[in-house]
mmCIF file of all heavy atoms in Angstrom:
data_model
loop_
_atom_site.group_PDB
_atom_site.id
_atom_site.type_symbol
_atom_site.label_atom_id
_atom_site.label_comp_id
_atom_site.label_asym_id
_atom_site.label_seq_id
_atom_site.Cartn_x
_atom_site.Cartn_y
_atom_site.Cartn_z
ATOM 1 N N GLY B 102 -20.859 34.112 30.815
ATOM 2 C CA GLY B 102 -19.543 34.054 30.184
ATOM 3 C C GLY B 102 -18.779 35.360 30.228
ATOM 4 O O GLY B 102 -17.633 35.434 29.806
ATOM 5 N N GLU B 103 -19.433 36.413 30.748
ATOM 6 C CA GLU B 103 -18.805 37.750 30.745
ATOM 7 C C GLU B 103 -17.867 37.961 31.925
ATOM 8 O O GLU B 103 -18.058 37.330 32.945
ATOM 9 C CB GLU B 103 -19.906 38.832 30.742
ATOM 10 C CG GLU B 103 -20.759 38.850 29.500
ATOM 11 C CD GLU B 103 -19.992 39.161 28.210
ATOM 12 O OE1 GLU B 103 -18.806 39.521 28.293
ATOM 13 O OE2 GLU B 103 -20.582 39.015 27.141
ATOM 14 N N PRO B 104 -16.893 38.832 31.788
ATOM 15 C CA PRO B 104 -16.593 39.676 30.627
ATOM 16 C C PRO B 104 -15.792 38.949 29.532
ATOM 17 O O PRO B 104 -15.562 39.509 28.463
ATOM 18 C CB PRO B 104 -15.741 40.802 31.230
ATOM 19 C CG PRO B 104 -14.992 40.125 32.345
ATOM 20 C CD PRO B 104 -15.923 39.083 32.906
ATOM 21 N N ALA B 105 -15.406 37.710 29.818
ATOM 22 C CA ALA B 105 -14.526 37.002 28.880
ATOM 23 C C ALA B 105 -15.166 36.839 27.510
ATOM 24 O O ALA B 105 -14.508 36.936 26.468
ATOM 25 C CB ALA B 105 -14.159 35.637 29.449
ATOM 26 N N MET B 106 -16.494 36.591 27.505
ATOM 27 C CA MET B 106 -17.187 36.358 26.236
ATOM 28 C C MET B 106 -16.946 37.523 25.267
ATOM 29 O O MET B 106 -16.587 37.317 24.097
ATOM 30 C CB MET B 106 -18.691 36.198 26.506
ATOM 31 C CG MET B 106 -19.502 35.804 25.300
ATOM 32 S SD MET B 106 -19.326 34.035 24.918
ATOM 33 C CE MET B 106 -20.722 33.385 25.839
ATOM 34 N N THR B 107 -17.149 38.737 25.765
ATOM 35 C CA THR B 107 -16.935 39.925 24.927
ATOM 36 C C THR B 107 -15.471 40.041 24.499
ATOM 37 O O THR B 107 -15.178 40.308 23.324
ATOM 38 C CB THR B 107 -17.350 41.194 25.712
ATOM 39 O OG1 THR B 107 -18.725 41.056 26.055
ATOM 40 C CG2 THR B 107 -17.165 42.450 24.875
ATOM 41 N N HIS B 108 -14.566 39.838 25.453
ATOM 42 C CA HIS B 108 -13.132 39.920 25.120
ATOM 43 C C HIS B 108 -12.765 38.948 23.998
ATOM 44 O O HIS B 108 -12.059 39.302 23.053
ATOM 45 C CB HIS B 108 -12.279 39.601 26.358
ATOM 46 C CG HIS B 108 -12.410 40.605 27.461
ATOM 47 N ND1 HIS B 108 -12.164 40.304 28.778
ATOM 48 C CD2 HIS B 108 -12.765 41.916 27.433
ATOM 49 C CE1 HIS B 108 -12.353 41.387 29.521
ATOM 50 N NE2 HIS B 108 -12.733 42.366 28.730
ATOM 51 N N ILE B 109 -13.240 37.724 24.134
ATOM 52 C CA ILE B 109 -12.860 36.690 23.152
ATOM 53 C C ILE B 109 -13.490 37.000 21.790
ATOM 54 O O ILE B 109 -12.816 36.985 20.757
ATOM 55 C CB ILE B 109 -13.279 35.286 23.659
ATOM 56 C CG1 ILE B 109 -12.508 34.942 24.941
ATOM 57 C CG2 ILE B 109 -13.036 34.221 22.589
ATOM 58 C CD1 ILE B 109 -12.914 33.640 25.597
ATOM 59 N N LYS B 110 -14.790 37.297 21.806
ATOM 60 C CA LYS B 110 -15.495 37.581 20.537
ATOM 61 C C LYS B 110 -14.855 38.737 19.788
ATOM 62 O O LYS B 110 -14.531 38.646 18.604
ATOM 63 C CB LYS B 110 -16.956 37.955 20.828
ATOM 64 C CG LYS B 110 -17.907 36.789 20.729
ATOM 65 C CD LYS B 110 -19.349 37.285 20.797
ATOM 66 C CE LYS B 110 -20.258 36.122 21.161
ATOM 67 N NZ LYS B 110 -21.615 36.555 21.463
ATOM 68 N N LYS B 111 -14.682 39.868 20.510
ATOM 69 C CA LYS B 111 -14.163 41.067 19.838
ATOM 70 C C LYS B 111 -12.744 40.851 19.330
ATOM 71 O O LYS B 111 -12.372 41.342 18.264
ATOM 72 C CB LYS B 111 -14.220 42.270 20.781
ATOM 73 C CG LYS B 111 -15.655 42.736 21.019
ATOM 74 C CD LYS B 111 -15.695 44.169 21.526
ATOM 75 C CE LYS B 111 -17.128 44.680 21.534
ATOM 76 N NZ LYS B 111 -17.261 45.930 22.289
ATOM 77 N N SER B 112 -11.939 40.132 20.110
ATOM 78 C CA SER B 112 -10.562 39.869 19.673
ATOM 79 C C SER B 112 -10.571 39.043 18.389
ATOM 80 O O SER B 112 -9.898 39.378 17.405
ATOM 81 C CB SER B 112 -9.790 39.125 20.761
ATOM 82 O OG SER B 112 -9.762 39.874 21.949
ATOM 83 N N LEU B 113 -11.351 37.967 18.398
ATOM 84 C CA LEU B 113 -11.402 37.090 17.219
ATOM 85 C C LEU B 113 -11.937 37.856 16.009
ATOM 86 O O LEU B 113 -11.441 37.692 14.886
ATOM 87 C CB LEU B 113 -12.272 35.857 17.499
ATOM 88 C CG LEU B 113 -11.744 34.857 18.537
ATOM 89 C CD1 LEU B 113 -12.796 33.780 18.825
ATOM 90 C CD2 LEU B 113 -10.436 34.208 18.098
ATOM 91 N N GLU B 114 -12.955 38.698 16.241
ATOM 92 C CA GLU B 114 -13.516 39.490 15.137
ATOM 93 C C GLU B 114 -12.475 40.412 14.505
ATOM 94 O O GLU B 114 -12.559 40.742 13.326
ATOM 95 C CB GLU B 114 -14.725 40.308 15.631
ATOM 96 C CG GLU B 114 -15.997 39.464 15.725
ATOM 97 C CD GLU B 114 -17.107 40.119 16.548
ATOM 98 O OE1 GLU B 114 -16.887 41.235 17.076
ATOM 99 O OE2 GLU B 114 -18.173 39.506 16.673
ATOM 100 N N CYS B 115 -11.496 40.823 15.319
ATOM 101 C CA CYS B 115 -10.409 41.655 14.788
ATOM 102 C C CYS B 115 -9.265 40.800 14.238
ATOM 103 O O CYS B 115 -8.192 41.332 13.923
ATOM 104 C CB CYS B 115 -9.872 42.568 15.876
ATOM 105 S SG CYS B 115 -11.041 43.815 16.390
ATOM 106 N N GLY B 116 -9.460 39.491 14.184
ATOM 107 C CA GLY B 116 -8.419 38.624 13.653
ATOM 108 C C GLY B 116 -7.283 38.371 14.627
ATOM 109 O O GLY B 116 -6.210 37.905 14.248
ATOM 110 N N ILE B 117 -7.524 38.695 15.913
ATOM 111 C CA ILE B 117 -6.492 38.446 16.933
ATOM 112 C C ILE B 117 -6.702 37.046 17.523
ATOM 113 O O ILE B 117 -7.824 36.693 17.906
ATOM 114 C CB ILE B 117 -6.559 39.503 18.056
ATOM 115 C CG1 ILE B 117 -6.365 40.909 17.466
ATOM 116 C CG2 ILE B 117 -5.543 39.217 19.146
ATOM 117 C CD1 ILE B 117 -6.666 42.039 18.444
ATOM 118 N N ASN B 118 -5.636 36.249 17.572
ATOM 119 C CA ASN B 118 -5.720 34.924 18.182
ATOM 120 C C ASN B 118 -6.032 35.048 19.667
ATOM 121 O O ASN B 118 -5.674 36.042 20.297
ATOM 122 C CB ASN B 118 -4.394 34.180 18.023
ATOM 123 C CG ASN B 118 -3.938 34.130 16.578
ATOM 124 O OD1 ASN B 118 -4.695 33.743 15.697
ATOM 125 N ND2 ASN B 118 -2.698 34.535 16.328
ATOM 126 N N VAL B 119 -6.665 34.031 20.219
ATOM 127 C CA VAL B 119 -7.017 34.045 21.640
ATOM 128 C C VAL B 119 -6.576 32.739 22.287
ATOM 129 O O VAL B 119 -6.784 31.661 21.733
ATOM 130 C CB VAL B 119 -8.545 34.213 21.839
ATOM 131 C CG1 VAL B 119 -8.931 34.029 23.304
ATOM 132 C CG2 VAL B 119 -9.014 35.577 21.332
ATOM 133 N N VAL B 120 -5.944 32.853 23.450
ATOM 134 C CA VAL B 120 -5.714 31.683 24.307
ATOM 135 C C VAL B 120 -6.448 31.962 25.601
ATOM 136 O O VAL B 120 -6.320 33.050 26.171
ATOM 137 C CB VAL B 120 -4.214 31.473 24.591
ATOM 138 C CG1 VAL B 120 -4.018 30.357 25.609
ATOM 139 C CG2 VAL B 120 -3.465 31.152 23.305
ATOM 140 N N THR B 121 -7.232 31.005 26.066
ATOM 141 C CA THR B 121 -7.985 31.261 27.293
ATOM 142 C C THR B 121 -8.034 30.047 28.210
ATOM 143 O O THR B 121 -8.006 28.904 27.754
ATOM 144 C CB THR B 121 -9.415 31.742 26.997
ATOM 145 O OG1 THR B 121 -10.026 32.143 28.234
ATOM 146 C CG2 THR B 121 -10.265 30.664 26.350
ATOM 147 N N ALA B 122 -8.099 30.358 29.525
ATOM 148 C CA ALA B 122 -8.301 29.324 30.536
ATOM 149 C C ALA B 122 -9.724 29.426 31.054
ATOM 150 O O ALA B 122 -10.093 28.758 32.013
ATOM 151 C CB ALA B 122 -7.320 29.542 31.682
ATOM 152 N N ASN B 123 -10.524 30.264 30.400
ATOM 153 C CA ASN B 123 -11.836 30.634 30.914
ATOM 154 C C ASN B 123 -12.913 29.688 30.401
ATOM 155 O O ASN B 123 -13.276 29.700 29.223
ATOM 156 C CB ASN B 123 -12.130 32.070 30.462
ATOM 157 C CG ASN B 123 -13.078 32.742 31.415
ATOM 158 O OD1 ASN B 123 -14.075 32.143 31.803
ATOM 159 N ND2 ASN B 123 -12.758 33.964 31.806
ATOM 160 N N LYS B 124 -13.444 28.863 31.315
ATOM 161 C CA LYS B 124 -14.417 27.842 30.911
ATOM 162 C C LYS B 124 -15.748 28.419 30.449
ATOM 163 O O LYS B 124 -16.401 27.861 29.570
ATOM 164 C CB LYS B 124 -14.706 26.898 32.085
ATOM 165 C CG LYS B 124 -13.554 26.027 32.523
ATOM 166 C CD LYS B 124 -14.028 25.107 33.667
ATOM 167 C CE LYS B 124 -12.893 24.284 34.222
ATOM 168 N NZ LYS B 124 -11.832 25.093 34.861
ATOM 169 N N GLY B 125 -16.183 29.536 31.065
ATOM 170 C CA GLY B 125 -17.522 30.071 30.820
ATOM 171 C C GLY B 125 -17.877 30.198 29.340
ATOM 172 O O GLY B 125 -18.786 29.529 28.843
ATOM 173 N N PRO B 126 -17.164 31.050 28.611
ATOM 174 C CA PRO B 126 -17.525 31.263 27.200
ATOM 175 C C PRO B 126 -17.419 29.991 26.364
ATOM 176 O O PRO B 126 -18.198 29.798 25.423
ATOM 177 C CB PRO B 126 -16.495 32.291 26.719
ATOM 178 C CG PRO B 126 -15.874 32.863 27.935
ATOM 179 C CD PRO B 126 -16.055 31.903 29.049
ATOM 180 N N ILE B 127 -16.476 29.122 26.706
ATOM 181 C CA ILE B 127 -16.271 27.901 25.920
ATOM 182 C C ILE B 127 -17.413 26.915 26.188
ATOM 183 O O ILE B 127 -17.912 26.242 25.282
ATOM 184 C CB ILE B 127 -14.895 27.260 26.241
ATOM 185 C CG1 ILE B 127 -13.770 28.312 26.130
ATOM 186 C CG2 ILE B 127 -14.624 26.072 25.329
ATOM 187 C CD1 ILE B 127 -13.714 29.040 24.802
ATOM 188 N N LEU B 128 -17.859 26.880 27.438
ATOM 189 C CA LEU B 128 -19.009 26.045 27.795
ATOM 190 C C LEU B 128 -20.265 26.523 27.073
ATOM 191 O O LEU B 128 -21.045 25.729 26.542
ATOM 192 C CB LEU B 128 -19.234 26.111 29.315
ATOM 193 C CG LEU B 128 -20.499 25.436 29.853
ATOM 194 C CD1 LEU B 128 -20.367 23.923 29.781
ATOM 195 C CD2 LEU B 128 -20.777 25.867 31.284
ATOM 196 N N LEU B 129 -20.447 27.854 27.047
ATOM 197 C CA LEU B 129 -21.706 28.416 26.550
ATOM 198 C C LEU B 129 -21.754 28.565 25.032
ATOM 199 O O LEU B 129 -22.821 28.477 24.433
ATOM 200 C CB LEU B 129 -21.943 29.795 27.191
ATOM 201 C CG LEU B 129 -22.106 29.803 28.724
ATOM 202 C CD1 LEU B 129 -22.027 31.234 29.248
ATOM 203 C CD2 LEU B 129 -23.418 29.150 29.134
ATOM 204 N N ALA B 130 -20.608 28.823 24.416
ATOM 205 C CA ALA B 130 -20.666 29.271 23.012
ATOM 206 C C ALA B 130 -19.484 28.821 22.165
ATOM 207 O O ALA B 130 -19.032 29.555 21.287
ATOM 208 C CB ALA B 130 -20.765 30.794 22.985
ATOM 209 N N TYR B 131 -18.988 27.598 22.410
ATOM 210 C CA TYR B 131 -17.799 27.172 21.672
ATOM 211 C C TYR B 131 -17.986 27.273 20.161
ATOM 212 O O TYR B 131 -17.167 27.829 19.446
ATOM 213 C CB TYR B 131 -17.385 25.743 22.046
ATOM 214 C CG TYR B 131 -16.291 25.217 21.140
ATOM 215 C CD1 TYR B 131 -15.007 25.722 21.235
ATOM 216 C CD2 TYR B 131 -16.561 24.265 20.159
ATOM 217 C CE1 TYR B 131 -13.999 25.294 20.392
ATOM 218 C CE2 TYR B 131 -15.557 23.831 19.310
ATOM 219 C CZ TYR B 131 -14.288 24.347 19.430
ATOM 220 O OH TYR B 131 -13.296 23.927 18.583
ATOM 221 N N LYS B 132 -19.095 26.722 19.684
ATOM 222 C CA LYS B 132 -19.308 26.662 18.231
ATOM 223 C C LYS B 132 -19.334 28.059 17.608
ATOM 224 O O LYS B 132 -18.721 28.305 16.571
ATOM 225 C CB LYS B 132 -20.602 25.913 17.924
ATOM 226 C CG LYS B 132 -20.610 25.330 16.540
ATOM 227 C CD LYS B 132 -21.253 23.963 16.513
ATOM 228 C CE LYS B 132 -20.795 23.136 15.350
ATOM 229 N NZ LYS B 132 -21.205 21.732 15.489
ATOM 230 N N GLU B 133 -20.051 28.959 18.259
ATOM 231 C CA GLU B 133 -20.128 30.341 17.778
ATOM 232 C C GLU B 133 -18.741 30.996 17.737
ATOM 233 O O GLU B 133 -18.355 31.615 16.736
ATOM 234 C CB GLU B 133 -21.066 31.136 18.698
ATOM 235 C CG GLU B 133 -21.329 32.544 18.209
ATOM 236 C CD GLU B 133 -22.019 33.401 19.275
ATOM 237 O OE1 GLU B 133 -22.489 32.838 20.292
ATOM 238 O OE2 GLU B 133 -22.061 34.637 19.093
ATOM 239 N N LEU B 134 -17.983 30.811 18.825
ATOM 240 C CA LEU B 134 -16.648 31.417 18.897
ATOM 241 C C LEU B 134 -15.721 30.825 17.842
ATOM 242 O O LEU B 134 -14.948 31.529 17.188
ATOM 243 C CB LEU B 134 -16.056 31.230 20.299
ATOM 244 C CG LEU B 134 -16.807 31.936 21.433
ATOM 245 C CD1 LEU B 134 -16.250 31.534 22.794
ATOM 246 C CD2 LEU B 134 -16.765 33.455 21.254
ATOM 247 N N LYS B 135 -15.826 29.511 17.672
ATOM 248 C CA LYS B 135 -14.989 28.823 16.682
ATOM 249 C C LYS B 135 -15.306 29.327 15.265
ATOM 250 O O LYS B 135 -14.403 29.530 14.446
ATOM 251 C CB LYS B 135 -15.245 27.308 16.803
ATOM 252 C CG LYS B 135 -14.482 26.452 15.846
ATOM 253 C CD LYS B 135 -13.031 26.289 16.262
ATOM 254 C CE LYS B 135 -12.288 25.456 15.238
ATOM 255 N NZ LYS B 135 -10.851 25.475 15.467
ATOM 256 N N THR B 136 -16.591 29.528 15.008
ATOM 257 C CA THR B 136 -17.011 30.037 13.701
ATOM 258 C C THR B 136 -16.457 31.436 13.445
ATOM 259 O O THR B 136 -15.959 31.734 12.352
ATOM 260 C CB THR B 136 -18.560 30.056 13.615
ATOM 261 O OG1 THR B 136 -19.031 28.740 13.915
ATOM 262 C CG2 THR B 136 -19.049 30.457 12.234
ATOM 263 N N ILE B 137 -16.532 32.283 14.467
ATOM 264 C CA ILE B 137 -15.967 33.638 14.345
ATOM 265 C C ILE B 137 -14.461 33.550 14.087
ATOM 266 O O ILE B 137 -13.910 34.264 13.240
ATOM 267 C CB ILE B 137 -16.230 34.467 15.625
ATOM 268 C CG1 ILE B 137 -17.738 34.636 15.856
ATOM 269 C CG2 ILE B 137 -15.552 35.838 15.541
ATOM 270 C CD1 ILE B 137 -18.103 35.296 17.178
ATOM 271 N N ALA B 138 -13.795 32.643 14.801
ATOM 272 C CA ALA B 138 -12.349 32.476 14.638
ATOM 273 C C ALA B 138 -12.012 32.100 13.195
ATOM 274 O O ALA B 138 -11.168 32.739 12.551
ATOM 275 C CB ALA B 138 -11.823 31.413 15.603
ATOM 276 N N ILE B 139 -12.698 31.099 12.679
ATOM 277 C CA ILE B 139 -12.415 30.621 11.314
ATOM 278 C C ILE B 139 -12.666 31.738 10.303
ATOM 279 O O ILE B 139 -11.854 31.992 9.419
ATOM 280 C CB ILE B 139 -13.266 29.371 10.993
ATOM 281 C CG1 ILE B 139 -12.771 28.185 11.832
ATOM 282 C CG2 ILE B 139 -13.211 29.031 9.499
ATOM 283 C CD1 ILE B 139 -13.652 26.957 11.772
ATOM 284 N N LYS B 140 -13.813 32.444 10.474
ATOM 285 C CA LYS B 140 -14.180 33.521 9.556
ATOM 286 C C LYS B 140 -13.120 34.611 9.499
ATOM 287 O O LYS B 140 -12.886 35.221 8.460
ATOM 288 C CB LYS B 140 -15.521 34.116 10.026
ATOM 289 C CG LYS B 140 -16.305 34.808 8.942
ATOM 290 C CD LYS B 140 -17.660 35.260 9.456
ATOM 291 C CE LYS B 140 -18.068 36.548 8.779
ATOM 292 N NZ LYS B 140 -19.213 37.174 9.458
ATOM 293 N N ASN B 141 -12.452 34.843 10.630
ATOM 294 C CA ASN B 141 -11.474 35.931 10.700
ATOM 295 C C ASN B 141 -10.023 35.432 10.702
ATOM 296 O O ASN B 141 -9.113 36.170 11.080
ATOM 297 C CB ASN B 141 -11.743 36.777 11.946
ATOM 298 C CG ASN B 141 -13.085 37.489 11.869
ATOM 299 O OD1 ASN B 141 -13.225 38.496 11.188
ATOM 300 N ND2 ASN B 141 -14.090 36.946 12.541
ATOM 301 N N SER B 142 -9.838 34.165 10.295
ATOM 302 C CA SER B 142 -8.504 33.568 10.246
ATOM 303 C C SER B 142 -7.745 33.739 11.553
ATOM 304 O O SER B 142 -6.539 33.995 11.563
ATOM 305 C CB SER B 142 -7.672 34.167 9.106
ATOM 306 O OG SER B 142 -8.322 33.951 7.893
ATOM 307 N N ALA B 143 -8.461 33.621 12.637
ATOM 308 C CA ALA B 143 -7.819 33.693 13.954
ATOM 309 C C ALA B 143 -7.880 32.308 14.600
ATOM 310 O O ALA B 143 -8.667 31.460 14.207
ATOM 311 C CB ALA B 143 -8.524 34.719 14.824
ATOM 312 N N ILE B 144 -7.045 32.099 15.598
ATOM 313 C CA ILE B 144 -6.978 30.795 16.255
ATOM 314 C C ILE B 144 -7.464 30.941 17.686
ATOM 315 O O ILE B 144 -7.172 31.936 18.359
ATOM 316 C CB ILE B 144 -5.538 30.247 16.211
ATOM 317 C CG1 ILE B 144 -5.080 30.121 14.760
ATOM 318 C CG2 ILE B 144 -5.448 28.893 16.892
ATOM 319 C CD1 ILE B 144 -3.586 30.129 14.609
#
Side-chain angles (χ1 to χ4, degrees):
Chain B
E103 295 298 352
M106 186 77 92
T107 301
H108 294 155
I109 296 175
K110 265 190 199 170
K111 289 200 171 167
S112 301
L113 293 173
E114 280 165 359
C115 292
I117 301 169
N118 306 309
V119 172
V120 173
T121 188
N123 206 314
K124 293 182 184 64
I127 309 305
L128 173 72
L129 297 168
Y131 171 71
K132 203 141 204 168
E133 186 192 348
L134 296 172
K135 179 77 182 170
T136 305
I137 298 173
I139 291 171
K140 204 175 147 193
N141 295 282
S142 301
I144 301 157

